[in-house]
Amino acid sequence: MRRSTMNQSNPPGGSGGSAGSVAALLGRREVLSMAYADVMAVRERSRRKRLVTLTSILLMPTAFLWYRIADGRPFNPFALPDWHIEPIMIAPLLLILALIVLILMPMGNSKSPHVMYRPEQIEVGLDDVKGLHAVVDEVVRTLNVFLGYATFRDRLGGNPRRGVLFEGPPGTGKTHLAKAMAKHAGVPYLYVSGPAFQSMWYGATAKKIRSFFKALKKTARKEGGAIGFIEEIDAFATTRGGMEGSSPTHIVKSGLFGRRREPTIASGTGGTVNELLIQMQSFDTLPLSWRILDKFKEWINAFLPPDAALQKRKPPYHNVLVIAATNRGDSLDPALMRPGRFDRRLYFDPPSRAGRRELVDYFLGKKRHGADMTTEAKREELAAITFGYTPVMIEHLLDESLIVALRKGRDELWWEDIMEAKMTTEVGVKNPVQYTTEERRQIATHEAGHAVTAYLIGEGRNLEILSIIKRRDALGLLGHSDAEERFTKTKSELEALLKISLGGMVAEEIFLGESGTGPAGDLAGATGVAAEMVGSLGMAGSLISFRAMGESVLDPGLVGRVLNNPEARKSVDKLLSDNKKDVTKLLTGHTRLVIALRDALLDRDELIGEEITAVLAEAGGVEAQRLARIPQPKRTRGGRSEKAASSPR
């Protein structure tokens, strides 16, 4: 859906911008047209006021110049006076100049560190925000109330939102969306990073915060509105007290005068948080000129009776919207989250499959690609195998694919380039090493055991890549993923992941008589899954949750809690042993499949996608129905496997 309707000529339900018609537009899913935005009325008044001010300023010097011309004494601006400075005065002047610089340094350091962008300087709009439909819908409604603030406030009696908190993992589009909001609002965008507020001078951090909000309010008065964006607000707005503030912990030191207790050094965030809280609550303050006029009125009122006293002006409404972004929303001070400050808290999740498909189309539209990437099937497959990817990660994957294509002598990316870039990004760069004959055979047997187990019992799983090429710390790997996008797993599915992790070890024992050091990582991953099943998911007879225990600094984690409990440890051991017996029985009955894959790996080093299933089908395997690929591959790396479901949901 196209969300910008900047060219609307008439609002639905009426024309002319009446109260009812404008109010009806505020709740729509499209951005309010500038023709009906209250922001434009303020901007027009500010424009006329600036013209009057400029005319008044230029009137007197212009009249003076014409007077000089009429009097026959034209004014020469280049006729400078002949000043002569005695050499003895140079040293005192330099000293005075140095003192002025020293005084101005802390003053200059307390200026607002923001950078202002005009709407025409921002390249991205709401049409460029992909994969965030739910968040964009909420943002558009906030934006409409911001643009029609006078209607919402004066006619409907509401209080417009003052602040919105964007929270989510890095690269999910928080800054991108904030820029798009400012672009479509048509108001200045004041950007500042949280660390930029920090200063070495005492009190300068709080002064910078005041200066930033002062600049916001001043801009809003002139332009009808302003959007302020604070990146990484957790850099200075963490919870007051405790470890983040003045810790009650004391350090005990021993010296010549015995043992003494000294307070620890506090992080000093309390003062900055207090200042931010005050500024978030004090948007509608009087401008300096109004405050001076009020002081004069107070002096006059001292001589007047109460019924004849001069009335002071009420503070004007400043149409300001503050957007803050953070990856650690739980660390922020709770007082910031109350209504009136950050009224709305929006969480940015990694995009869904439909969102990733939208992002794939958007990014591929900007990058040169081959004919194979124009097909619906390949684009759907790319959206499927990038489960958990953020928008930035998807764009980076395509950029890396272009680099791979250039290295191969092509000026457009193909599907094979994407797959190679994906493996390089997730696992590491290929680092071929010279294995001994026995070692090479052992690694191929190990990976073939994983693959055959996943092929036989991993229903609904796709085999993506099988390799014995060294990548980082992985001597070999099996990449496999779910066929459908899933957010929960059943007990049988988790047990299937356990069996896949144990398949390499079992294959080594069957074909080589014993296993080596390769299965170490597999066992670590399998133990993690089993501990979750026993101590968190209630899948091994006991319903006691070790996750319910409170955490502490010395907490060994869920796996440590489970393994430290004798009964739970026995349950984990039994779960792993039972699944290993099942895998042994399974692979013993399908040795031809393991041999076929092992020999194919020894011959080609790496098999991708359909090449794996083709080898198995040729060896007599039964091809199961495979659907579209998705989530992040669960990698089993030459004995070092990643947790396939370390935190199943």
Side-chain angles (χ1 to χ4, degrees), residues 583-603:
V583 176
T584 302
K585 182 178 179 181
L586 180 72
L587 295 185
T588 302
H590 296 85
T591 54
R592 64 187 186 284
L593 299 182
V594 179
I595 294 173
L597 269 186
R598 180 199 64 191
D599 294 343
L601 281 174
L602 292 174
D603 183 47

Side-chain angles (χ1 to χ4, degrees), residues 174-416:
K174 299 182 291 294
T175 305
H176 190 72
L177 181 56
K179 289 182 179 180
M181 289 176 65
K183 175 74 171 180
H184 277 261
V187 299
Y189 172 78
L190 280 66
Y191 171 87
V192 64
S193 65
F197 282 115
Q198 297 174 349
S199 173
M200 62 178 288
W201 303 97
Y202 179 78
T205 299
K207 182 64 170 63
K208 284 183 176 183
I209 295 174
R210 290 194 295 271
S211 299
F212 174 67
F213 280 88
K214 181 180 178 181
L216 267 176
K217 291 181 284 189
K218 182 178 180 181
T219 305
R221 288 197 303 270
K222 292 181 178 180
E223 303 290 340
I227 293 179
F229 182 73
I230 305 176
E231 182 77 270
E232 303 297 344
I233 190 174
D234 54 273
F236 68 99
T238 52
T239 302
R240 293 165 292 179
M243 295 300 292
E244 292 295 336
S246 54
S247 173
T249 306
H250 287 67
I251 301 174
V252 179
K253 291 187 176 182
S254 299
L256 295 176
F257 302 98
R259 295 165 64 85
R260 65 184 188 278
R261 302 173 70 84
E262 295 184 356
T264 57
I265 299 175
S267 62
T269 59
T272 59
V273 174
N274 291 338
E275 185 62 46
L276 181 61
L277 294 175
I278 293 171
Q279 293 300 321
M280 289 293 295
Q281 197 64 30
S282 308
F283 286 105
D284 301 333
T285 55
L286 289 171
L288 177 61
S289 59
W290 291 21
R291 294 199 300 270
I292 295 175
L293 182 60
D294 284 345
K295 287 291 184 182
F296 179 72
K297 288 181 179 180
E298 287 181 4
W299 182 77
I300 296 293
N301 288 339
F303 302 96
L304 299 176
D307 56 345
L310 300 176
Q311 297 296 320
K312 297 182 181 180
R313 301 179 65 175
K314 295 181 179 180
Y317 178 81
H318 294 91
N319 189 29
V320 170
L321 179 64
V322 179
I323 305 172
T326 179
N327 305 326
R328 302 167 58 233
D330 294 337
S331 68
L332 298 181
D333 194 274
L336 286 170
M337 301 297 108
R338 79 157 178 80
R341 292 187 175 122
F342 287 106
D343 304 273
R344 179 65 67 184
R345 188 173 182 176
L346 299 179
Y347 191 84
F348 286 62
D349 283 306
S352 62
R353 180 167 180 169
R356 295 196 301 275
R357 172 57 199 274
E358 190 178 5
L359 287 164
V360 166
D361 291 339
Y362 177 75
F363 290 132
L364 282 177
K366 295 183 176 182
K367 305 181 190 301
R368 190 164 182 174
H369 54 274
D372 59 339
M373 292 309 302
T374 61
T375 62
E376 289 290 318
K378 286 301 182 185
R379 296 194 175 200
E380 281 291 338
E381 188 173 359
L382 179 56
I385 65 175
T386 51
F387 176 78
Y389 275 47
T390 63
V392 171
M393 293 171 66
I394 293 176
E395 184 177 20
H396 175 70
L397 175 63
L398 295 178
D399 288 337
E400 290 295 317
S401 303
L402 278 174
I403 295 176
V404 172
L406 290 175
R407 190 165 61 240
K408 294 179 179 179
R410 288 184 273 102
D411 59 356
E412 58 184 20
L413 64 90
W414 293 355
W415 174 255
E416 63 181 59

Side-chain angles (χ1 to χ4, degrees), residues 463-464 608-615 629:
L463 304 181
E464 293 183 353
I608 298 177
E610 296 178 355
E611 296 177 351
I612 304 173
T613 54
V615 172
R629 302 173 185 166

Side-chain angles (χ1 to χ4, degrees), residues 436-641:
T436 64
T437 303
E438 294 78 9
E439 194 175 36
R440 180 180 171 85
R441 187 179 185 85
Q442 181 183 13
I443 296 172
T445 303
H446 182 102
E447 300 305 332
H450 285 308
V452 172
T453 306
Y455 177 76
L456 295 175
I457 57 95
E459 183 178 355
R461 304 203 66 77
N462 287 320
L463 304 181
E464 293 183 353
I465 185 170
L466 186 64
S467 174
I468 59 172
I469 299 176
K470 187 178 184 303
R471 295 174 184 264
R472 207 163 55 191
D473 58 347
L475 300 179
L477 62 88
L478 166 67
H480 57 103
S481 63
D482 295 329
E484 295 179 336
E485 187 157 325
R486 297 282 304 278
F487 298 94
T488 61
K489 291 189 180 299
T490 64
K491 179 182 178 181
S492 59
E493 289 173 335
L494 291 177
E495 289 182 342
L497 293 177
L498 287 178
K499 291 180 174 65
I500 294 172
S501 296
L502 297 171
M505 180 180 186
V506 171
E508 289 188 35
E509 292 177 351
I510 293 175
F511 291 92
L512 304 177
E514 61 180 355
S515 63
T517 59
D522 298 331
L523 293 178
T527 302
V529 176
E532 287 278 356
M533 297 174 67
V534 172
S536 178
L537 304 176
M539 294 181 176
S542 175
L543 298 181
I544 297 176
S545 174
F546 288 81
R547 194 176 293 280
M549 298 173 61
E551 297 182 0
S552 65
V553 177
L554 301 178
D555 182 26
L558 178 66
V559 177
R561 299 176 200 169
V562 172
L563 297 183
N564 287 334
N565 183 283
E567 295 299 324
R569 184 187 182 95
K570 290 180 182 178
S571 298
V572 171
D573 190 26
K574 183 177 185 303
L575 190 59
L576 293 174
S577 299
D578 291 345
N579 279 278
K580 184 184 177 184
K581 292 177 182 177
D582 294 340
V583 176
T584 302
K585 182 178 179 181
L586 180 72
L587 295 185
T588 302
H590 296 85
T591 54
R592 64 187 186 284
L593 299 182
V594 179
I595 294 173
L597 269 186
R598 180 199 64 191
D599 294 343
L601 281 174
L602 292 174
D603 183 47
R604 288 182 271 177
D605 290 338
E606 193 168 83
L607 303 173
I608 298 177
E610 296 178 355
E611 296 177 351
I612 304 173
T613 54
V615 172
L616 293 172
E618 187 177 350
V622 179
E623 179 64 22
Q625 183 180 4
R626 308 281 180 178
L627 302 177
R629 302 173 185 166
I630 46 167
Q632 299 172 354
K634 282 68 181 179
R635 312 256 174 225
T636 306
R637 308 178 179 181
R640 298 192 178 184
S641 66

